[in-house]
Amino acid sequence: MADKILKKLNIKVWRQNKAADKGRFETYTIENISTGSSFLEMLDILNEKLIIEGQDPIAFDHDCREGICGTCSLFINGRAHGPDTEVTTCQLHMRKFKDGETITIEPWRAKSFPVIKDLVVDRTAFEKILYAGGFISVNTGGVPDANAIPIAYEDAEESMDAASCIGCGACVAACKNSSAMLFVAAKVSHLAKLPQGRVEAKKRARSMVAKMDELGFGGCTNTGACEVECPKSISITNIARLNREYLLARFSE
Amino acid sequence: MSILESKIPEGPLAGKWSRHKENIKVVSPANKRKLEVIVVGTGLGGASAAASLAELGYKVKAFCYQDSPRRAHSIAAQGGINAAKNYQNDNDSVFRLFYDTIKGGDYRSREANVYRLAEVSPNIIDQCVAQGVPFGREYGGLLANRTFGGALVSRTFYARGQTGQQLLIGAYQAMNRQISMGNVEMYSRHEMLDVVIIDGKARGIVARDLVTGKIKRFGAHAVVVATGGYSNVFFLSTNAMGSNGSAAWQCYKKGAFFSNPCFVQIHPTCIPVHGEQQSKLTLMSESLRNDGRVWVPKKKEDAEKIRKGEIGPNDIPEEDRDFYLERRYPSYGNLVPRDVASRAAKERCDAGFGVNPEGKAVYLDFKYSIERLGKNVIKARYGNLFQMYEKITDVDPYKEPMMIYPAIHYTMGGTWVDYNLMTTVPGLYSLGEANFSDHGANRLGASALMQGLADGYFVIPYTIGDYLADEILTPKIDTNTPEFEQVEKAVTERIEKLFNIKGTKPVDYFHKKLGHVMWDYVGMSRNEEGLKKAIQMIREIREEFWKDVKIPGELDNLNPELEKAGRVADFFDIGELIAMDALDRNESCGGHFREESVTDDGEAKRNDEKFTYVSCWEYKGEGQEPVLHKEDLVFENVKLTQRSYK
Ligand SMILES: Cc1cc2nc3c(=O)[nH]c(=O)nc-3n(C[C@H](O)[C@H](O)[C@H](O)COP(=O)(O)OP(=O)(O)OC[C@H]3O[C@@H](n4cnc5c(N)ncnc54)[C@H](O)[C@@H]3O)c2cc1C
Ligand code: SF4
Ligand code: FES
């Protein structure tokens, strides 16, 4: 589809120099953006302008720019990853915006994800949840042949659906309770759906949930906001599975 | 002993690795606990190494510049990973994978290394399955395979179009387990800025904490660098924005030889460039060539009308489509190796048959396989890639062919290593894309993931012991020494120097300029005049950069522009060395195409008599010409033939 030019946009963005600073919104204007440009390319252009004018460019996280590394993390016009479905911020294109529009950009807002600078947040809490059990306890070497244990096609597919989580944190940002349930559920399901991961499934669910609570993420009240904003369409049925594993773990205690 | 002691074991090819393992030294468990290893980079190569070394008992410190190891560039690999499992009963074997890799690399890699790679490849798949990698499966519950370019057997394992992601998550989880047990200390958002050498041995690194800007020292008994490739010298590439060559370049400046820098891979199936504002290129997995047919219009006037938007691809009747790969290479057709496919696309576009407004695109059409297999099968195979394509281009590839064009994708060249993966600096190792070892002049699809994991899971855990066995009496490395002091000082001065230029232009301005020079003169097709011109131009841009770059922000805070500046400063130097290496190698082989060396029908022509060597560049100091050493390649098990995919 032919690209058009957006003549003028107002960019209202969260500025915060350091974690300890208070932070505020600033508004900038930017001109002549192609609708074929990505959202982050638009920010590149704005940053280039700011640098030349002697201002501090807007810090934002990004790396792969193709929707897979999970680094990019912007809250745009009130939505995690902006006004498109099944995309990360870096896959969002300017064709989703109108000429003259004011675009509001914020960082993920959650107690467990403190701001580092501007739009960059600290997601170490996700790592810590995974340290609590998001793995299968095998060492390198001494494992059976890959085809020794057949896995039903559907199980492998369901496991893969859950394993598609990119750890971006949009689910937490979208949730009014800042719950990390979808992220945790995705990991628990990914592994529990496979015979190799079944062995530790209950223990894994219990320790990851306990860690999540300890790190200050909120509880899940089933609003489903996470599923809507998840760029990888991780389904909330995974949360039901996590709850099941968790209950089983409690009963077997 | 020459400085280039490759340490390739004697004897028949098939037994080299077993014999080597029998002969190298082993460290006892009690001593392993006292030995520290630094692993820089936690992509497939680094994460698998960090996890495996920690499991053995070594104390590991691992580093990455992203906020989590899970975000390393390896995550973006789409298509798959090769392994000689022969699950399909199609006559695959370790030897065949070895042979395909050597041939695909156009006979510019070491037989022994490549054979070992093929030999350990089946173990990788076993390991990944045990870790919970959800590979694609058949209905009977066994693993599925797909075919990839450059092979006649089906040996590629995949997890939808997200194979790199799933393999990396596997390695990351294994490493997380070691972190939770206290055996790996993970330093995310830390960038290595230099390696520290004491009495000729690598003993640590100096890194910048990217959040606080603090410069920190880290000591260890050995340093493993697995920091990926340097494709971003070209500005536009399929690599992640932060991918860089700096760590490898610092090793080079500290005495590690740099090999075959001119061997850069151009991937045939990327989404074409649009406009000047573009920041990176997106790959469409090579696996798509399994089910997509590549074509351009036969008639120039049709191509012109398409470029003007007067007609669309679906308006071109069957008989007016030129399936040029099938026409030129009937036996491999759409599955020719990457370099061949890329050049063929450029040839058609240069001849005026390109199909986007810029005339730099060809079609990859799924119409035929959708007719044959049905939309659902295609969706199951490539659903996420099709979605990605549509989100970027706003075109539905189920209805209209994709537009693709070649782009810089992977670097075969890198730090020289011996059979133990040790560089020319004792105690300094290089793994994954960062080293030069296994792919020669061209890498086959699905072999980078294999190599990264082979290096990390199955090679370094053995070979590092041979070196560390002699270090058991070396106490914990003290970082309060003049050597650390001096490196820290040099690193700090360089950062301050860059920061204080306070010129007028942002880093990207220079990076883009460098990228244009590299693509135009050191890209898909190279010649002497162009290469000389490129070297001159790179020097000029570098000079301008060091006078006029403008870095905003603060030194003691998160400062992405400062990070970028340091990386781009090194890209100039790497770019120059790529051009020098390309100038030296007056033959066409693999991804390196010299216009002076072609056959009568325009295909690449190797010159085995003169160039059957690995180029190994030695740094001689700032402003000095580097010295070229050559490691001659000896082929005892394969016959060198001119590659033919016809
Ligand atoms: C789009 C795309 C698709 C691909 N598809 C395939 C495929 O289907 N099959 C295949 O086999 N190969 C594929 N490849 C190639 C393959 O993905 C890479 O070659 C491979 O993953 C590289 O792994 P690595 O571990 O060597 O490096 P990377 O994964 O690049 O990791 C580098 C690591 O080094 C760190 N780092 C870098 N510099 C520093 C520094 N100075 N200080 C600290 N840390 C640093 C980074 O943080 C990162 O952790 C693809 C590549 C791309 C670009
Ligand atoms: S579940 Fe979805 S939104 Fe949450 S971290 Fe994973 S990919 Fe992101
Ligand atoms: S930058 Fe990697 S997902 Fe957006």
Side-chain angles (χ1 to χ4, degrees):
Chain A
M1 304 301 102
D3 293 338
K4 288 200 265 320
I5 295 293
L6 301 170
K7 288 206 203 69
K8 190 177 153 207
L9 294 165
N10 302 308
I11 311 293
K12 185 177 163 201
V13 52
W14 183 257
R15 302 303 312 256
Q16 178 174 345
N17 195 38
K18 288 206 165 157
D21 294 353
K22 219 165 144 253
R24 64 192 189 282
F25 279 106
E26 288 274 350
T27 303
Y28 308 91
T29 59
I30 180 163
E31 283 157 11
N32 299 324
I33 297 294
S34 161
T35 52
S37 288
S38 74
F39 192 81
L40 295 186
E41 281 163 3
M42 180 277 289
L43 281 182
D44 290 341
I45 295 165
L46 175 57
N47 271 346
E48 187 165 327
K49 185 173 135 189
L50 292 179
I51 295 169
I52 291 170
E53 287 169 358
Q55 302 188 57
D56 195 24
I58 302 152
F60 60 92
D61 251 338
H62 64 106
D63 203 23
C64 74
R65 294 213 178 180
E66 53 187 62
I68 193 73
C69 72
T71 312
C72 61
S73 41
L74 301 182
F75 206 74
I76 303 161
N77 286 350
R79 289 186 63 186
H81 294 305
D84 195 353
T85 50
E86 296 179 35
V87 295
T88 54
T89 303
C90 61
Q91 290 173 299
L92 178 66
H93 276 70
M94 294 310 292
R95 63 179 79 92
K96 293 281 169 193
F97 298 90
K98 287 192 289 294
D99 203 359
E101 191 175 338
T102 297
I103 305 175
T104 307
I105 315 175
E106 295 168 81
W108 285 172
R109 303 236 191 236
K111 194 173 98 201
S112 315
F113 290 164
V115 170
I116 292 176
K117 180 175 159 85
D118 298 339
L119 304 170
V120 177
V121 299
D122 182 350
R123 285 171 287 195
T124 315
F126 266 11
E127 305 291 299
K128 290 186 180 153
I129 294 176
L130 295 179
Y131 299 158
F135 44 74
I136 293 175
S137 299
V138 292
N139 281 354
T140 305
V143 300
D145 182 88
N147 260 348
I149 308 169
I151 301 176
Y153 177 85
E154 294 74 19
D155 288 338
E157 288 297 303
E158 269 188 60
S159 169
M160 180 64 213
D161 286 340
S164 301
C165 164
I166 56 174
C168 61
C171 46
V172 176
C175 174
K176 66 179 170 51
N177 309 323
S178 300
S179 169
M181 273 299 260
L182 193 62
F183 169 76
V184 174
K187 183 49 59 195
V188 165
S189 295
H190 157 210
L191 297 174
K193 267 282 153 190
L194 301 169
Q196 291 83 358
R198 224 19 268 168
V199 184
E200 299 166 281
K202 285 184 270 176
K203 183 167 155 257
R204 180 181 304 118
R206 198 176 52 217
S207 27
M208 287 177 70
V209 169
K211 186 51 94 177
M212 172 179 80
D213 293 343
E214 180 196 317
L215 291 166
F217 290 100
C220 171
T221 51
N222 279 314
T223 66
C226 52
E227 183 186 57
V228 176
E229 297 301 10
C230 171
K232 298 293 147 182
S233 313
I234 305 291
S235 155
I236 46 171
T237 56
N238 289 299
I239 297 185
R241 182 174 300 119
L242 167 61
N243 284 333
R244 229 167 24 240
E245 295 291 350
Y246 187 72
L247 286 177
L248 281 174
R250 292 279 298 273
F251 280 130
S252 56
E253 249 165 20
Chain B
M1 197 172 77
S2 111
I3 3 180
L4 285 171
E5 182 55 68
S6 62
K7 301 216 173 79
I8 294 170
E10 296 293 322
L13 185 64
K16 279 184 196 286
W17 177 230
S18 320
R19 272 195 309 285
H20 189 67
K21 284 190 290 184
E22 284 160 16
N23 293 333
I24 55 181
K25 287 170 233 158
V26 176
V27 183
S28 76
N31 283 326
K32 283 193 183 108
R33 284 197 290 277
K34 292 186 234 151
L35 293 167
E36 292 189 281
V37 181
I38 282 175
V39 178
V40 189
T42 46
L44 284 180
S48 57
S52 306
L53 292 171
E55 287 160 10
L56 288 174
Y58 296 111
K59 290 278 161 230
V60 176
K61 295 190 186 96
F63 296 79
C64 73
Y65 70 76
Q66 292 93 345
D67 69 328
S68 161
R70 72 179 298 148
R71 312 205 196 282
H73 169 59
S74 293
I75 201 94
Q78 302 170 348
I81 175 166
N82 288 329
K85 279 283 197 189
N86 192 31
Y87 280 161
Q88 304 307 322
N89 199 29
D90 54 1
N91 198 7
D92 196 9
S93 62
V94 169
F95 187 85
R96 193 177 293 280
L97 175 53
F98 153 76
Y99 180 76
D100 286 348
T101 310
I102 285 271
K103 176 185 172 194
D106 223 357
Y107 308 97
R108 291 295 174 263
S109 44
R110 279 189 204 135
E111 278 191 341
N113 283 59
V114 175
Y115 195 87
R116 174 176 65 190
L117 175 64
E119 190 178 339
V120 303
S121 67
N123 304 351
I124 297 173
I125 305 303
D126 299 343
Q127 190 61 40
C128 293
V129 168
Q131 289 170 342
V133 171
F135 283 123
R137 287 179 182 264
E138 304 291 354
Y139 282 104
L142 300 186
L143 291 162
N145 287 123
R146 53 169 62 138
T147 322
F148 243 58
L152 295 172
V153 294
S154 194
R155 63 160 77 98
T156 306
F157 295 79
Y158 61 91
R160 294 196 190 139
Q162 290 136 265
T163 315
Q165 175 192 37
Q166 294 310 314
L167 298 177
L168 182 61
I169 288 177
Y172 164 70
Q173 289 179 174
M175 188 170 69
N176 280 347
R177 176 167 161 252
Q178 294 305 312
I179 295 174
S180 74
M181 292 158 85
N183 301 329
V184 174
E185 264 178 74
M186 184 67 221
Y187 294 88
S188 294
R189 291 200 200 266
H190 274 70
E191 180 159 358
M192 162 181 161
L193 294 180
D194 211 345
V195 53
V196 180
I197 302 202
I198 300 177
D199 298 331
K201 293 176 176 172
R203 290 300 193 199
I205 64 166
V206 168
R208 180 168 181 269
D209 178 333
L210 300 179
V211 175
T212 62
K214 267 209 187 72
I215 306 292
K216 302 180 183 169
R217 307 172 187 186
F218 300 91
H221 295 85
V223 176
V224 177
V225 172
T227 49
Y230 51 88
S231 292
N232 278 345
V233 172
F234 289 77
F235 186 68
L236 284 181
S237 87
T238 63
N239 282 204
M241 300 298 285
S243 292
N244 66 90
S246 289
W249 197 248
Q250 288 134 21
C251 296
Y252 168 71
K253 285 183 151 181
K254 285 287 159 77
F257 289 5
F258 205 97
S259 282
N260 296 339
C262 84
F263 290 161
V264 171
Q265 182 163 80
I266 298 183
H267 197 291
T269 52
C270 303
I271 299 179
V273 181
H274 73 87
E276 265 295 302
Q277 298 181 338
Q278 197 157 346
S279 59
K280 76 152 275 177
L281 295 172
T282 302
L283 175 84
M284 287 286 108
S285 169
E286 172 162 27
S287 59
L288 292 168
R289 283 201 276 144
N290 268 314
D291 289 304
R293 294 177 72 192
V294 178
W295 63 275
V296 292
K298 265 188 193 153
K299 298 183 190 149
K300 247 186 214 170
E301 50 293 7
D302 283 347
E304 250 157 57
K305 278 189 207 150
I306 289 180
R307 286 201 290 271
K308 287 192 196 131
E310 291 166 12
I311 55 171
N314 293 336
D315 299 323
I316 310 277
E318 208 50 37
E319 62 276 13
D320 288 339
R321 300 178 173 197
D322 176 15
F323 298 92
Y324 58 87
L325 288 176
E326 297 167 29
R327 168 168 62 76
R328 285 178 67 181
Y329 308 100
S331 86
Y332 279 71
N334 293 299
L335 290 176
V336 290
R338 294 176 172 176
D339 53 330
V340 178
S342 295
R343 277 195 298 277
K346 179 171 154 50
E347 188 277 328
R348 282 295 80 191
C349 292
D350 288 352
F353 295 93
V355 293
N356 71 348
E358 288 86 4
K360 290 208 158 78
V362 300
Y363 289 127
L364 178 64
D365 203 339
F366 295 90
K367 180 177 104 149
Y368 306 93
S369 46
I370 291 175
E371 281 164 11
R372 187 162 46 92
L373 303 164
K375 187 176 164 178
N376 283 340
V377 173
I378 295 302
K379 191 168 177 187
R381 286 191 190 158
Y382 312 109
N384 68 320
L385 296 173
F386 276 42
Q387 184 232 18
M388 185 151 114
Y389 184 84
E390 185 173 357
K391 290 287 180 191
I392 295 176
T393 62
D394 217 15
V395 171
D396 177 0
Y398 292 103
K399 295 195 182 125
E400 247 188 56
M402 287 184 180
M403 280 202 263
I404 53 162
Y405 199 65
I408 300 286
H409 176 58
Y410 180 87
T411 52
M412 281 74 69
T415 310
W416 184 90
V417 287
D418 65 15
Y419 191 68
N420 290 330
L421 303 181
M422 187 149 88
T423 69
T424 43
V425 175
L428 182 63
Y429 292 80
S430 177
L431 314 186
E433 191 173 339
N435 74 26
F436 90 104
S437 75
D438 295 343
H439 308 294
N442 175 54
R443 173 174 71 75
L444 289 184
S447 286
L449 301 181
M450 170 172 71
Q451 182 226 330
L453 292 180
D455 288 358
Y457 286 135
F458 298 113
V459 180
I460 193 80
Y462 292 83
T463 58
I464 206 167
D466 196 44
Y467 174 80
L468 289 175
D470 293 332
E471 295 291 334
I472 52 177
L473 297 177
T474 310
K476 193 175 156 72
I477 304 300
D478 179 11
T479 57
N480 286 313
T481 62
E483 291 89 348
F484 272 94
E485 177 89 55
Q486 194 224 327
V487 171
E488 184 182 319
K489 187 162 164 271
V491 159
T492 311
E493 279 171 8
R494 173 168 135 132
I495 291 179
E496 283 169 358
K497 186 173 165 194
L498 274 170
F499 191 69
N500 289 328
I501 296 171
K502 306 253 182 257
T504 62
K505 299 194 182 74
V507 180
D508 273 355
Y509 167 86
F510 300 97
H511 194 183
K512 278 185 195 171
K513 230 168 142 173
L514 171 69
H516 279 302
V517 172
M518 294 300 295
W519 182 248
D520 290 345
Y521 300 104
V522 201
M524 247 190 288
S525 172
R526 303 157 170 180
N527 62 51
E528 184 179 340
E529 195 194 324
L531 290 167
K532 287 186 170 154
K533 191 164 162 187
I535 293 172
Q536 195 46 43
M537 289 168 89
I538 294 168
R539 288 180 181 163
E540 283 162 21
I541 305 168
R542 174 172 47 210
E543 208 179 302
E544 195 192 340
F545 170 86
W546 281 101
K547 275 192 198 131
D548 199 24
V549 69
K550 179 168 185 169
I551 301 168
E554 299 153 325
L555 286 177
D556 61 352
N557 196 358
L558 183 75
N559 190 340
E561 286 293 313
L562 180 66
E563 295 164 28
K564 224 161 47 178
R567 296 169 192 159
V568 170
D570 293 332
F571 281 147
F572 295 120
D573 299 352
I574 302 174
E576 188 182 342
L577 196 70
I578 296 175
M580 287 170 72
D581 191 48
L583 195 57
D584 168 70
R585 194 172 282 277
N586 190 6
E587 66 162 347
S588 295
C589 67
H592 171 62
F593 188 77
R594 277 290 295 264
E595 288 160 19
E596 295 92 333
S597 184
V598 291
T599 61
D600 293 339
D601 54 355
E603 299 287 339
K605 194 166 115 200
R606 259 188 4 247
N607 183 340
D608 293 332
E609 212 172 292
K610 278 184 139 165
F611 295 102
T612 310
Y613 61 76
V614 175
S615 68
C616 313
W617 296 89
E618 183 186 10
Y619 183 70
K620 283 287 173 190
E622 188 99 37
Q624 308 283 316
E625 291 277 311
V627 169
L628 175 62
H629 303 267
K630 295 172 184 174
E631 179 194 332
D632 289 323
L633 291 167
V634 183
F635 293 92
E636 292 167 341
N637 300 277
V638 298
K639 212 169 125 259
L640 273 64
T641 50
Q642 209 54 250
R643 268 191 324 165
S644 169
Y645 293 94
K646 293 208 181 225

